[in-house]
Amino acid sequence: MGRFLFSRLISALVVIVGVVCLVFMLIHLVPGDPVDVMLGESALPADREALRSSLGLDRPLAVQLAEYLKGVVRFDLGRSLHAKQAVAELLAERIPATLELALAALVITLLIAIPLGIVAAVNRGRAADWGAMGFSMLGLSIPNFWLGPMLILCFSLWLGWTPVSGREGMSSLILPAVTLGMSFAAILARMVRSSLLEVLDEDFVRTARAKGLDEKRVIWRHAMGNAWLPVITLVGLQLGALLGGAVVTEVVFDWPGIGSLMIESIQKRDYPVVQGCVLFISLAYVLVNTLTDLIYGLVDPRIHGGGGR
Amino acid sequence: MGWRQPLLLLWVTLSSLACSTAYEEDSIRMGLASAPITLDPRYATDATSERINRLLYQRLVAFDERSMPIPAVADWQRLSPRRYRVRLNQSAGRFLQGRRLDADDVIATYRYVLDPNNASPRRSGITMIEEIVKVDDLTVDFKLSRSDPLFPAYLTLDILPADLINSDHDFARNPVGSGPFSFNAWPLPGRLILKRREDNRRFEFVEVKNPTVRVLKLLRGEIDMLQNDLSPELIDYLQAQAGIGIERRDGSNFTYIGFNLRDPQTADPRLRRAIAHAIDRQAIIHHLMQGAARRAEALLPPEHWAGADALKAHAYDPQRAVSLLREAGYGAANPLRLVYKTSSDPFRIRLATVVQSQLKAVGIEVELRSYDWGTFFGDIKAGNFQLYSLSWVGIRTPDIFNYVFASDSLPPAGANRGRYASVAVDRLLQQLESADSLERQAQLYHRIQRQLHADLPYLPLWYEGQVVASSPRISGYRLMRDGNYDGLEQVRVRRQQGMEDGHIAVAY
């Protein structure tokens, strides 16, 4: 296990440094100048140059990148060009909202997807299967930018149960979490169904049934126990994506998360903030993937144990 | 039962994570499409920051309906063509510490902006100031490097307290001004809270990016008002809702199509005139904007003191457009193909699509390309375009003509993005430098606009109107022509006092 963790840590470092360097180069190659956004068009050329110099943007790109990486090692992510705030502070303001939404959406995803997938698999070819998969198809087909306003119209405006948008306590979390969770649940439900269908045809399930175990126990203990691996993979990927920020949902619900911060910063060419967001997202992905791998080991000890007893 | 416990634990964790930012009942809440970026007026360049800063700070000079400079917190006197004396009047307010705005604050603010080391975007507007001299606690003399009868119109910097400027105070996040509102809190990037000094009423500025959601928040009472940045359909929808008040007024923000005068195709004046005759601006205003604009013939609206009101419209005349194209050598066998660049703003894309369709009707094939703002604007400034559409917002002084149309105002020195070069216009702009009265300046500006109208480096489209939608809970908001939020000084919350004679009695 120790060796496994060490190798994961090394590959994670390579991935993060690679992503940070790549994004650094790309964002500087995109047309558009942060000095223009900061000073406006009417600023004097001398003032532009002075600002560019004071921000260090006149130095060669490689020097800027080296400076940035040196800062990252010292946990200094720089300062926002626009907000004049430390990037770490800006991220700290947004991360709780992102975590909150990601976790809530994940709960909703699991609450919808697992029962739906099981019902569909157990009733293969019957009305319940068609119904569950039809619901799943609907969840996949409806874009979040439409579902969000529809949920607002229904639950906020007509029924008055939740606030329309913003981060104003627990009730404001429900609609964005449902919006985000619906599309993920649709994908996961299909995965649960197909994984379970594969396992339900295995000999050990037939044996369990032949032993006279009740169906609930057969499904939950024996079949699902062996169907978790692909489901866990997908949940890990989805959690990574959720932590990376759900831009559309954040915009519709004015949710102050990492996704909207990154988009705003890209529009303003606020390089240090974009870099900070990318760093956080890569870290989140790496962490979630490592956790997923660890959970694999718990679910199936053969995986990290060298493949045999 | 085992699975319920972790679930409950997770929900409790989420509940504790969810911070409560519930609104206070007595607040007046305004929905904004974008939050202010900085509350330091020396560095603000976005419209929202400038509008909010107007509430927090005071400035020496304001403008009347014709955009003529009028005293705000100071009166002025022209001592000589290059020397102005400015004297603070009774309107000068107090900073939070109780100290009244004085000459030292004016001097400190202007000197800070003029210092090139501070890289303020406001410096370019006041570079003619050579020296600032304190006469007494309420009086300041401005010595200019050149004569300019319009100089008072440039005295629009928001005044900051001198002591805090000197101590390098963080005005961006913790503004201190002498305006009618004071800063209260900025708990979230999209939620700014100010207090009106007169009655301590809280005002919350809430960023709601999605216009549909903004409208839904107004209908549910989560915000009390919203101004502009709404599609005509949403305005129509709001108009049909009981209790929602809609107020409109003419605006001065100017929308145009810009041509690249260095492009071999769009450099041909016949082609630009053909496009002008092929676009039915009135139909676009009527159908696409549902009347929320008025047709423009020049950059400045006719009511502006330097505006030209006798320009003959480029009438919608597809036949004339076709014959001009034929004259220029284009026809069915050799159709004109142009690229139209625009931002990714949905309304801009719709406008571009309509223009594309109208131009197709006269045989011009238009390829639309929409980009994110940075890329689009970078291309426009670099002259990498044939056609584009943009707006000029908040134009008050006519020196914009020098900035936009002088042949030496190519970006980054100016905003002559279309690379327009006219000897006649350059000569008139030079004459303006020696024009010693506003009347003479107005005459010269009229001539410049007539020349531009003939040359068509821009095709003027319209002046966008202003619109505000408000809930029945508030009243008294006055909509301004340039879209600023000064009307918040008068806005009141209606208090329901009960039923009298079958009607709800309302007190203010």
Side-chain angles (χ1 to χ4, degrees):
Chain A
M1 182 64 92
R3 212 172 135 205
F4 165 75
L5 273 178
F6 181 74
S7 70
R8 287 310 305 246
L9 194 69
I10 297 296
S11 61
L13 264 176
V14 173
V15 168
I16 289 169
V17 172
V19 168
V20 166
C21 292
L22 191 68
V23 170
F24 189 93
M25 302 309 278
L26 285 177
I27 184 93
H28 282 81
L29 287 177
V30 171
D33 185 350
V35 172
D36 275 351
V37 184
M38 292 169 78
L39 290 185
E41 204 185 1
S42 60
L44 298 172
D47 290 346
R48 281 171 201 283
E49 288 318 307
L51 182 62
R52 200 183 306 282
S53 170
S54 75
L55 295 173
L57 296 171
D58 55 345
R59 293 173 303 169
L61 216 52
V63 176
Q64 292 183 49
L65 176 61
E67 280 293 313
Y68 180 74
L69 290 175
K70 249 197 279 179
V72 170
V73 172
R74 295 193 307 262
F75 300 104
D76 175 11
L77 302 181
R79 293 181 77 77
S80 160
L81 302 180
H82 291 271
K84 315 275 186 218
Q85 240 181 313
V87 173
E89 264 177 47
L90 281 172
L91 290 177
E93 280 174 7
R94 303 283 187 132
I95 287 172
T98 295
L99 285 178
E100 197 178 297
L101 182 59
L103 288 177
L106 188 69
V107 169
I108 285 166
T109 301
L110 296 175
L111 285 179
I112 297 173
I114 292 175
L116 210 63
I118 293 175
V119 166
V122 171
N123 298 286
R124 178 164 42 169
R126 283 183 266 175
D129 184 17
W130 286 106
M133 287 306 100
F135 181 79
S136 156
M137 188 58 79
L138 206 65
L140 272 174
S141 318
I142 298 176
N144 287 359
F145 65 80
W146 187 83
L147 179 64
M150 288 304 113
L151 290 178
I152 292 172
L153 201 62
C154 185
F155 294 101
S156 302
L157 209 63
W158 295 341
L159 297 171
W161 291 351
T162 62
V164 170
S165 69
R167 187 167 170 242
E168 296 155 30
M170 205 55 203
S171 57
S172 65
L173 180 59
I174 297 168
L175 295 188
V178 170
T179 305
L180 203 51
M182 278 296 282
S183 51
F184 284 117
I187 302 166
L188 192 63
R190 298 182 85 82
M191 177 58 86
V192 170
R193 178 183 179 271
S194 60
S195 294
L196 198 55
L197 280 177
E198 267 180 40
V199 174
L200 282 174
D201 287 336
E202 296 280 339
D203 290 342
F204 68 88
V205 174
R206 202 172 304 122
T207 308
R209 281 183 178 137
K211 282 197 300 187
L213 294 179
D214 77 295
E215 193 60 16
K216 254 189 197 167
R217 199 174 160 84
V218 171
I219 300 292
W220 279 104
R221 193 75 180 265
H222 295 265
M224 274 310 287
N226 287 279
W228 279 123
L229 278 188
V231 174
I232 289 168
T233 310
L234 191 63
V235 169
L237 287 173
Q238 287 183 337
L239 185 59
L242 287 168
L243 288 172
V247 176
V248 174
T249 308
E250 283 182 11
V251 169
V252 169
F253 290 97
D254 294 301
W255 195 261
I258 290 287
S260 49
L261 176 66
M262 189 160 76
I263 292 296
E264 286 161 19
S265 309
I266 291 172
Q267 284 166 349
K268 292 181 204 158
R269 301 294 190 265
D270 197 339
Y271 301 146
V273 182
V274 177
Q275 290 291 123
C277 291
V278 170
L279 190 66
F280 170 77
I281 292 168
S282 344
L283 276 172
Y285 259 104
V286 166
L287 192 70
V288 169
N289 277 315
T290 309
L291 275 176
T292 308
D293 284 346
L294 290 175
I295 293 171
Y296 277 173
L298 294 176
V299 174
D300 186 349
R302 289 171 301 178
I303 290 177
H304 300 147
R309 284 182 220 184
Chain B
M1 293 294 279
W3 58 274
R4 285 185 192 167
Q5 283 166 352
L7 204 65
L8 189 68
L9 188 69
L10 187 64
W11 201 250
V12 169
T13 311
L14 287 174
S15 305
S16 60
L17 270 171
C19 71
S20 175
T21 56
Y23 297 116
E24 283 197 14
E25 276 304 304
D26 68 337
S27 295
I28 292 177
R29 297 175 296 267
M30 184 173 196
L32 303 175
S34 58
I37 291 173
T38 174
L39 298 181
D40 185 338
R42 298 168 299 179
Y43 292 100
T45 52
D46 62 300
T48 311
S49 298
E50 286 185 14
R51 286 166 183 166
I52 302 271
N53 285 335
R54 283 182 63 87
L55 303 173
L56 291 167
Y57 304 91
Q58 288 183 303
R59 55 220 65 80
L60 300 176
V61 167
F63 293 96
D64 67 8
E65 287 289 297
R66 293 179 62 227
S67 294
M68 285 290 267
I70 52 170
V73 302
D75 303 284
W76 66 85
Q77 190 187 353
R78 194 181 187 196
L79 301 177
S80 73
R82 288 177 49 200
R83 196 176 188 96
Y84 280 79
R85 175 157 292 174
V86 168
R87 187 172 168 78
L88 295 170
N89 59 33
Q90 288 304 309
S91 307
R94 290 180 186 279
F95 296 110
L96 274 188
Q97 311 96 312
R99 188 174 61 75
R100 192 174 282 282
L101 186 155
D102 64 20
D104 290 326
D105 303 313
V106 175
I107 292 169
T109 303
Y110 277 82
R111 281 192 181 151
Y112 184 95
V113 171
L114 281 168
D115 184 348
N117 295 320
N118 295 323
S120 166
R122 298 305 177 95
R123 190 166 84 94
S124 61
I126 54 168
T127 46
M128 77 289 277
I129 298 175
E130 202 172 63
E131 198 185 344
I132 309 171
V133 181
K134 180 177 175 180
V135 178
D136 60 43
D137 282 350
L138 295 177
T139 314
V140 174
D141 276 2
F142 287 92
K143 212 177 134 191
L144 311 184
S145 57
R146 58 179 162 83
S147 160
D148 189 343
L150 195 55
F151 172 69
Y154 304 121
L155 295 174
T156 53
L157 292 184
D158 292 328
I159 307 297
L160 283 66
D163 48 341
L164 295 185
I165 291 176
N166 295 333
S167 62
D168 208 15
H169 178 77
D170 178 17
F171 288 96
R173 308 291 301 175
N174 190 13
V176 178
S178 58
F181 288 74
S182 63
F183 174 73
N184 187 254
W186 203 347
L188 292 169
R191 185 167 171 243
L192 170 70
I193 304 168
L194 305 185
K195 274 195 173 173
R196 187 163 58 194
R197 287 174 161 204
E198 174 200 349
D199 56 0
N200 253 1
R201 166 79 64 189
R202 275 166 60 102
F203 283 74
E204 296 189 26
F205 297 87
V206 186
E207 182 187 39
V208 186
K209 289 198 184 81
N210 186 306
T212 307
V213 176
R214 215 152 52 237
V215 164
L216 294 174
K217 272 179 108 71
L218 177 70
L219 291 175
R220 193 170 181 262
E222 287 179 28
I223 53 177
D224 297 304
M225 56 187 295
L226 44 92
Q227 185 173 311
N228 298 331
D229 301 309
L230 292 175
S231 68
E233 299 82 29
L234 283 173
I235 296 170
D236 268 6
Y237 173 74
L238 278 174
Q239 213 147 16
Q241 306 303 310
I244 298 294
I246 299 280
E247 192 194 332
R248 295 172 193 264
R249 74 168 291 181
D250 283 346
S252 55
N253 295 340
F254 168 75
T255 301
Y256 65 94
I257 290 177
F259 298 102
N260 188 343
L261 283 285
R262 284 204 187 150
D263 180 87
Q265 290 177 305
T266 44
D268 187 336
R270 291 167 300 186
L271 190 150
R272 298 199 298 275
R273 280 205 298 279
I275 291 174
H277 287 301
I279 295 176
D280 189 350
R281 294 174 289 168
Q282 206 53 53
I284 297 175
I285 291 171
H286 182 69
H287 297 291
L288 186 68
M289 308 184 71
Q290 299 181 359
R294 57 190 166 131
R295 202 167 68 177
E297 299 302 335
L299 199 157
L300 294 178
E303 66 273 10
H304 192 284
W305 67 267
D309 57 358
L311 297 172
K312 193 176 170 221
H314 296 284
Y316 174 57
D317 185 350
Q319 286 310 314
R320 175 95 183 104
V322 170
S323 66
L324 280 165
L325 284 172
R326 207 173 296 134
E327 242 178 73
Y330 298 102
N334 177 30
L336 173 61
R337 291 192 172 85
L338 295 172
V339 174
Y340 181 123
K341 290 191 176 177
T342 186
S343 69
S344 52
D345 176 76
F347 179 76
R348 295 278 171 204
I349 295 173
R350 282 170 76 186
L351 167 64
T353 312
V354 173
V355 168
Q356 180 188 40
S357 155
Q358 294 190 343
L359 294 182
K360 193 181 170 102
V362 297
I364 303 175
E365 303 281 341
V366 174
E367 183 191 336
L368 298 185
R369 291 189 196 164
S370 97
Y371 301 94
D372 84 286
W373 174 254
T375 310
F376 166 66
F377 200 50
D379 269 3
I380 299 308
K381 285 199 311 176
N384 182 18
F385 67 89
Q386 285 186 301
L387 303 177
Y388 72 96
S389 169
L390 267 177
S391 297
W392 281 107
V393 177
I395 300 301
R396 289 292 200 179
T397 52
D399 56 344
I400 178 92
F401 287 106
N402 185 58
Y403 182 58
V404 174
F405 297 113
S407 58
D408 58 356
S409 289
L410 304 189
N416 187 350
R417 303 157 187 157
R419 278 65 184 164
Y420 173 67
S422 158
V423 175
V425 168
D426 281 350
R427 198 170 47 238
L428 288 165
L429 288 169
Q430 263 173 0
Q431 287 174 28
L432 271 162
E433 286 174 19
S434 54
D436 210 25
S437 70
L438 291 184
E439 292 71 26
R440 173 70 183 140
Q441 284 204 347
Q443 285 170 5
L444 291 167
Y445 280 122
H446 291 167
R447 286 173 63 189
I448 288 172
Q449 286 166 92
R450 279 198 290 276
Q451 187 66 46
L452 292 170
H453 192 257
D455 291 348
L456 267 179
Y458 276 10
L459 170 60
L461 293 177
W462 49 71
Y463 306 109
E464 276 172 36
Q466 308 287 344
V467 61
V468 65
S470 51
S471 75
R473 186 173 164 259
I474 60 162
S475 68
Y477 185 73
R478 207 154 51 88
L479 196 53
M480 301 295 168
R481 194 187 285 277
D482 65 358
N484 71 46
Y485 302 151
D486 293 6
L488 290 175
E489 281 183 61
Q490 285 86 37
V491 76
R492 295 286 180 266
V493 174
R494 296 176 207 237
R495 282 184 291 115
Q496 287 192 355
Q497 287 190 329
M499 301 289 281
E500 280 180 11
D501 303 330
H503 299 286
I504 294 173
V506 167
Y508 299 97

